[in-house]
Amino acid sequence: MVALFVGGQKVGTLADAEQLIPVLIGEGKVVEFREETGGRRLGTLTPEAAEPFCPWEPTLTLEEARKRITEPGGMTLAEFRKRLGKA
């Protein structure tokens, strides 16, 4: 039987993979497939690094973006274009 391991801990079996793998990959976890009896590693599933939320400001979080949107003192697109002289 094949088991799924994350960080050295068993998290399920191959029968559970369809439900577990999307969740674990979404959390950025590396999933190992091992023999349940001997513990021999059969394979590893490593998630690819996700693109940043905002490529030109990679440290910007979704929460910070929402905060900036709701803050007073911003300008509309029309105001921005007028400021650039492209109204």
Side-chain angles (χ1 to χ4, degrees):
M1 188 103 169
V2 176
L4 306 175
F5 284 76
V6 172
Q9 301 295 315
K10 182 179 174 186
V11 294
T13 66
L14 194 55
D16 305 319
E18 189 174 351
Q19 288 79 33
L20 287 175
I21 289 177
V23 173
L24 296 169
I25 295 300
E27 295 173 356
K29 307 284 186 180
V30 174
V31 181
E32 291 182 341
F33 297 87
R34 296 185 189 178
E35 288 180 341
E36 210 166 6
T37 53
R40 182 173 67 104
R41 187 172 50 182
L42 304 171
T44 304
L45 182 61
T46 305
E48 290 185 10
E51 289 187 27
F53 168 69
C54 179
W56 57 89
E57 191 176 343
T59 59
L60 180 67
T61 64
L62 184 57
E63 294 78 23
E64 176 62 21
R66 286 185 177 137
K67 177 182 161 202
R68 290 179 187 180
I69 289 168
T70 59
E71 281 181 348
M75 67 177 81
T76 66
L77 183 56
E79 292 168 335
F80 176 75
R81 287 181 175 162
K82 185 176 180 182
R83 186 174 177 186
L84 291 177
K86 300 184 183 218

